Amino acid sequence: MTAKPPLFHFDNSYARELEGFYVAWKGAQVPSPKLVLFNDRLATELGLSPNELKGPTGAAIFAGADSPEGASPLAQVYAGHQFGGFSPQLGDGRALLLGELVDREGIRRDMQLKGSGPTPFSRGGDGKAVIGPVLREYIMGEAMHALAIPTTRALAAVTTGETIFRDGPKPGAVLTRVAASHLRVGTFQYFAARGETEKVRQLADYAISRHDPDLRGAEDKYLKLFRRVVERQASLIAHWVLVGFVHGVMNTDNTTISGETIDYGPCAFIDAYDPAAVFSSIDHGGRYAFGRQPVIAQWNLARLAEAILALIEPDDLDKAVTLAADELARFPDIYGKLWLSGMRSKLGLVKDAEDDQDLIEELLSLMKDQSVDYTVFFRRLAETAEGKADPAAALFENTGAFVTWHNRWLRRLQLEDAQTAGLKDRMNAVNPIYIARNHMVEAALSAAEGGNYDQVEQLLDLLSRPFEERPGFEANALPAPEDFGPYQTFCGT
């Protein structure tokens, strides 16, 4: 009789190569695991069979109650700066890395459970999650993916049959998260803080093999690794800012080596343009405000540089500091160029012109002063290319100031070779009409807490094609009603 092939073809390099960087562990048993969402498209990318995983067997695996064949469940250890204060040991307090899959494109991906129960790193917590935060991460990750922003993604969401207390009784749940890896700045910080330079080296070599294999033979491979991480983070933050995304908890343990967005807790998309926008309930000082994200990213990268200095120039620390500082100093320029290029695209501009930065800053100043919705504005602006400012001007109380800017923009467009007829399509291809609006997400999560997942599924479908206008969904393209807010999100998983 032919043996049935395994559900997952794991190849667990982290468990195999990095002993001492984790604790082998198992998920908690749960009374009644039930699959409520499954990402068929992602499963297919990973070479999995959706049909085989949608039944009770898959539900038990995704709840953490059963370990599939070939899995090596483990809790990773890391440290981190949280709101500027260093915690020397954090680690996966409510997560387990089940293992790694090599997808159909040959890319290695982690499969991790979030909310699967306590681990040695839980620090007194129960290690569990509830349905709202699990679905928030599912929704936000898929929304970001559809916007072509590097991100972790959700493969599945299950309820566990438990009641978990988070500001009252809530349905227990577990998320299955897929990532390029779960290597963080904080992973390097953990071993550097303990003076374990050889483990820092081992981790860096692993990161290079996994994310930058072309650097393996380079003499200055550790400096070049740092350069790559700087570039990836600069690109990621530029992507965030261009679509109005606020992460909310940019701690070093949430800063990935891969350049993916990770951990969608207190996160949100802005409505009205505001660099000071904060949505995290615990960010009282605005450390991680929308407009501060590039500064914080560079600060986090400085912490990575400190952790690997001994690898860059083992015999000359001063030289290592200089080399790392030079790479770090490139961040603002890399970010600035990517952001400026992205803003030009949002305005329908193809060529570079000397005054573009000033044109953009004047616009953003007007939007901030008059609380103009960031996402709606750019879609409305695309309708005004023929010279009529009315669709976008209606968003401004002081229409005169906007009309003056609009005329300046029209003059700038005359420098372009592209025909005005194609301008609207060009702009709409980069400016989403649908984002994960905070009020829509909250409405969907509230319904899901009562057992109705229809709104979540509808929202996921809408966000899967964020640039495509759909009849009947006009309300989904509008800001929150005036009686919604002030909006706060919480670390709930």
Side-chain angles (χ1 to χ4, degrees), residues 23-27 67 72-75 96 117-120:
V23 175
W25 207 251
K26 289 186 177 180
S67 288
S72 301
L74 57 88
L96 286 179
T119 77

Side-chain angles (χ1 to χ4, degrees), residues 236-297:
L236 178 64
I237 307 306
H239 277 92
W240 289 359
V241 174
L242 287 166
V243 297
F245 176 75
V246 187
H247 186 280
V249 194
M250 287 180 65
N251 299 328
T252 57
D253 54 296
N254 290 335
T255 303
T256 60
I257 303 304
S258 66
E260 285 186 331
T261 314
I262 191 171
D263 280 0
Y264 293 99
C267 65
F269 285 84
I270 58 171
D271 286 328
Y273 179 77
D274 181 8
V278 172
F279 298 100
S280 170
S281 62
I282 56 176
D283 191 1
H284 304 297
R287 178 180 174 85
Y288 300 143
F290 173 56
R292 283 185 51 79
Q293 292 181 122
V295 174
I296 291 298

